[in-house]
Amino acid sequence: MQTQQENGQLKRTMKTRHLIMLSLGGVIGTGLFFNTGYIISTTGAAGTLLAYLIGALVVWLVMQCLGELSVAMPETGAFHVYAARYLGPATGYTVAWLYWLTWTVALGSSFTAAGFCMQYWFPQVPVWAWCVVFCAVIFGLNVISTRFFAEGEFWFSLIKVITIIAFIILGGAAIFGFIPMQDGSPAPGLTNITAEGWFPHGGLPILMTMVAVNFAFSGTELIGIAAGETENPHMVIPVAIRTTIARLIIFFIGTVFVLAALIPMQQAGVEKSPFVLVFEKVGIPYAADIFNFVILTAILSAANSGLYASGRMLWSLSNEKTLPRCFARVNKNGVPLTALSVSMLGGVLALFSSVVAPDTVFVALSAISGFAVVAVWISICASHFVFRRRHVQSGQPLSALQYRAPWYPLVPVLGFVLCVVACVGLAFDPSQRIALYCGIPFVALCYGAYYLTRHLTTQEPEHVAE
């Protein structure tokens, strides 16, 4: 009789609050804290608001598609399994590796950034020492149990959510004069939003920054990754999607509005984090210390989610028999230890490349990472389109679906088109074009690797379970 380890079954221990905070935790990270300044400086205040509104629409479209798929088929590694089932096994394999690489690269950059955050308080301690500490902490949170990981992510995310709410309230008060500016200048009101005109550089920069915006929103799809480890997924997933989307729109649009109103376009993107600049302008005591702590929390939260997601992708590939069976083995707590260990090793290698070859290897990995998120979203929309068609063609009633995306086929088609347009926008930005130069060959490499490994695994004799 096979043990749980040999069956490789994960445990359903996540609750609604875990799923919501896991998704929020994956999203509210370095993309929001750092990329927003770059986007404001590139597109202007109004252009940034429009870009994030379009990004929010894309997220809503993708999540509606993922919601229907996840409730109908709650599986760990969800969208890779759906892509394999509805778009072809090679596509599913490619989607899994793209997503694995996204979070593995994020692990490396997260540990490096966390080390720099700690140097603010402990300048004598080298960055590599903090990287070792945080590697151990994040690995420990993931290895003990899925429930322990989810609790850790819940509290990491809660700190970020409270900070974002406080930022929106205090920033809004400063915009309209309820809190005085530190230098005694009058409240800016909406002058910074309109000072340079609505779109100072035209509409093209909005197109060019769409992948950066989508990357800032990436992490919402973790709901689909965690579906296989969630209690009562048909009830929990729809609630998590609705609340996550609503909060994301409030947090992101509210935050971007405050940043755009308080930071002149010429100053945006110059500072390390536009959030610190805002708190300095309104004279909040200990702003640098507060935000250094919050950014550290955001980075560790992203690393926590990243190791979880990348480990589950390897588990899912093994479960689908496209990787050796050892990756699908789980320990007594239902944790895929081998898959997590290899993903952590990948994160350490990405960290190493960020130190040794930041301008070559790491830039290429980061570019593929940004491109990969949008490619995964494209696969989710396409999978949903095919899934619904096959469901109807099989003669089953739509009422059999416990969660249905509205306005089919408009939702998957529009989501697909907007994601493709975002990828096309990369070609117009010289600084981001490397994402296409690296991403497209990587996709081709994955397809080739699939057919090679598939051939080898079909030749491999079955191992007898111990």
Side-chain angles (χ1 to χ4, degrees), residues 333-416:
N333 295 320
V335 173
L337 189 56
T338 304
L340 282 176
S341 301
V342 172
S343 294
M344 177 57 84
L345 178 63
V348 170
L349 290 174
L351 187 158
F352 182 71
S353 74
S354 72
V355 176
V356 175
D359 298 324
T360 52
V361 177
F362 193 71
V363 166
L365 288 173
S366 299
I368 296 171
S369 180
F371 171 81
V373 171
V374 183
V376 168
W377 288 6
I378 288 172
S379 78
I380 291 171
C381 295
S383 298
H384 172 250
F385 180 81
V386 177
F387 165 76
R388 177 72 76 86
R389 283 187 63 187
R390 289 190 186 172
H391 181 84
V392 173
Q393 288 170 355
S394 68
Q396 299 179 68
L398 288 179
S399 58
L401 297 172
Q402 293 176 296
Y403 183 88
R404 291 197 301 276
W407 306 317
Y408 179 88
L410 177 63
V411 164
V413 170
L414 185 59
F416 183 93

Side-chain angles (χ1 to χ4, degrees), residues 104-122:
T104 302
V105 172
L107 272 178
S109 57
S110 293
F111 291 136
T112 305
F116 284 126
C117 282
M118 291 304 294
Q119 275 204 318
Y120 177 81
W121 293 305
F122 306 99

Side-chain angles (χ1 to χ4, degrees), residues 28-29 31-34 36-37 40 45 48-49 52 160-169 171-172 175 193 247-263 273-275 278 291:
I28 301 173
L32 179 60
F33 285 125
F34 290 100
T36 307
I40 292 172
T48 301
L49 283 169
Y52 271 97
K160 290 192 287 186
V161 168
I162 291 171
T163 305
I164 293 293
I165 292 171
F167 176 81
I168 293 171
I169 293 171
I175 290 169
I193 291 181
R247 291 174 191 184
L248 278 180
I249 291 172
I250 293 169
F251 292 161
F252 272 74
I253 303 304
T255 299
V256 170
F257 175 79
V258 170
L259 289 172
L262 289 175
I263 303 176
S273 173
F275 285 77
V278 164
F291 254 89

Side-chain angles (χ1 to χ4, degrees), residues 25-26 29-30 103 106-107 110 153 160 297-307:
T30 50
W103 284 107
L107 272 178
S110 293
E153 186 57 30
K160 290 192 287 186
T297 307
I299 290 165
L300 292 178
S301 171
N304 199 33
S305 299
L307 182 57

Side-chain angles (χ1 to χ4, degrees), residues 117 155-157 159-160 292-302:
C117 282
W155 293 107
F156 274 145
S157 298
I159 293 171
K160 290 192 287 186
N292 197 54
F293 174 73
V294 171
I295 291 170
L296 175 64
T297 307
I299 290 165
L300 292 178
S301 171

